[in-house]
Amino acid sequence: MPVRANHIIPQIADIDNLRLAYLKARRGKTMSTQVLLFQSQLDFNLSHIRERLLTDSFEFGDYNYFKVFEPKERIISAAPFEQKVVHHAIINICHPYFERGQIYHNYACRLGKGVKRAINAVKDSARNSYYFLKLDFKKYFDSIDHIILYQMLNRLFKDASLLRLYCKLLDSYHVLPGRGLPIGNLTSQYFANHYLSGMDHHVIEKERPYRYYRYMDDTLYIDKSKKRLLDIYLSILAYSKDYLNLSLKQPVLGKIACGIPFLGYKIRENKISLLSKSKNRFQKKYMLYDYLWKQNILNEGQFQQKINALSAFIRQADVQKYLTKWIQFIES
């Protein structure tokens, strides 16, 4: 068993680490009021954060809540800017420790991974004679159990001050008592990704499907035997209940020849295309951004930044024909 990481808080509170965290936290937000206010007394604010981290007196909370509706309706919890700096400071130092227990084909919150590599890896292993099983969890972020997560963090870190900081972070938010992570926090992404690392090893070491891929709570199993995948489903169903206190959504089981629905794409042996819901989402967002630009709510730079992000998503797929038709439509 790996040695638990110790003496972490002094590294997080190091002034150079906090300055780097500030630079990361302000990306894309340099003109926001919170950022400008924080920047106006930068040295003082960073020193004040450092002092509270070292004396166990830093607190979390006071989230700003708002809804988003794409790809589905969710509540986003935006932390105050000062807390965002601390989230980045934590992850700057703790990222390597979260990385230790990850399997190769986990593609979320990891350097050199991401959606593009995930869908290409799935495409490379797709065989038309094989079947796939796709599983994810009901209201995943809202359902994460604080006690179970804390036990996992305690097995990873030894630093008592860091564990107390994690406790305060978990206590700052809940959907039901003792459950839920705020979607807007950087640390939540790492916590949620780590929460399923034990399940990853259970799958790889005990169930042994031909291929297994995960991006956050979206999991994909590939095997030549349909019965084998059904057995894996029953195993994960039991594991989720016994060890994670989570509930699975309805499983999706099918032939790879019909296409694998994964991360907004339909993946086949020789082609990656967009799911219909992804096309609809692209069109709605494009029309919204175009409207906001023409109403001078977005400037040209902001409009282009948002369109570039949309384009980056759809260009992972074979979309030339679709884009040609779409461009003809909006120009007509």
Side-chain angles (χ1 to χ4, degrees), residues 74-128:
R74 295 180 297 173
I75 301 293
I76 303 298
S77 312
F81 182 73
E82 177 188 64
Q83 292 177 36
K84 290 181 180 179
V85 172
V86 173
H87 291 304
H88 278 280
I90 291 170
I91 295 306
N92 285 348
I93 303 302
C94 294
H95 172 89
Y97 302 107
F98 283 110
E99 182 69 15
R100 281 180 178 177
Q102 303 303 326
I103 62 168
Y104 182 82
H105 286 299
N106 173 14
Y107 288 87
C109 301
R110 302 181 67 200
L111 299 176
K113 298 291 185 177
V115 171
K116 181 178 180 179
R117 288 183 181 270
I119 61 173
N120 284 326
V122 172
K123 180 173 180 270
D124 288 345
S125 68
R127 303 287 184 270
N128 282 338

Side-chain angles (χ1 to χ4, degrees), residues 44-101:
F44 171 80
N45 286 328
L46 294 180
S47 295
H48 190 41
I49 289 173
R50 171 179 165 78
E51 178 186 351
R52 283 176 290 160
L53 287 172
L54 292 175
T55 57
D56 275 354
S57 58
F58 193 90
E59 301 292 338
F60 297 97
D62 296 324
Y63 296 108
N64 178 34
Y65 299 97
F66 59 94
K67 279 187 179 181
V68 298
F69 298 91
E70 297 291 348
K72 58 187 175 183
E73 183 176 329
R74 295 180 297 173
I75 301 293
I76 303 298
S77 312
F81 182 73
E82 177 188 64
Q83 292 177 36
K84 290 181 180 179
V85 172
V86 173
H87 291 304
H88 278 280
I90 291 170
I91 295 306
N92 285 348
I93 303 302
C94 294
H95 172 89
Y97 302 107
F98 283 110
E99 182 69 15
R100 281 180 178 177

Side-chain angles (χ1 to χ4, degrees), residues 28 282-312 326-327 330-331:
F282 168 78
Q283 291 165 194
K284 286 179 182 178
K285 284 193 172 184
Y286 187 100
M287 299 298 285
L288 172 63
Y289 298 152
D290 186 61
Y291 171 79
L292 293 175
W293 176 44
K294 288 174 179 175
Q295 295 298 313
N296 294 318
I297 297 171
L298 294 177
N299 62 39
E300 187 170 354
Q302 291 170 325
F303 172 73
Q304 195 60 53
Q305 185 180 37
K306 290 183 178 296
I307 295 302
N308 287 344
L310 281 180
S311 299
W326 171 246
I327 291 169
I330 62 175
E331 289 181 348

Side-chain angles (χ1 to χ4, degrees), residues 142-185:
D142 289 350
S143 302
I144 288 174
D145 188 302
H146 290 182
I147 293 176
I148 294 173
L149 174 57
Y150 182 80
Q151 289 169 345
M152 293 178 179
L153 294 171
N154 190 53
R155 288 193 290 270
L156 202 59
F157 298 98
K158 187 177 180 181
D159 188 321
S161 294
L162 177 63
L163 291 170
R164 286 194 292 271
L165 189 69
Y166 283 158
C167 258
K168 287 192 278 189
L169 187 48
L170 295 177
D171 289 343
S172 72
Y173 179 91
H174 65 270
V175 176
L176 294 172
R179 279 181 176 252
L181 295 177
I183 292 176
N185 285 354

Side-chain angles (χ1 to χ4, degrees), residues 8 11-12 19 26 36 60 104 114 123 126 135 151 223 239 241 245 252 255-256 258 287 290 302 310 316 320:
I8 302 296
Q11 297 176 61
I12 292 171
R19 194 173 298 276
R26 75 168 192 170
L36 291 172
F60 297 97
Y104 182 82
K123 180 173 180 270
L135 299 176
Q151 289 169 345
D223 204 276
Y239 186 96
K241 180 181 178 182
N245 199 13
V252 179
K255 292 182 178 180
I256 285 177
C258 298
M287 299 298 285
D290 186 61
Q302 291 170 325
L310 281 180
Q316 307 303 326
Q320 193 55 52

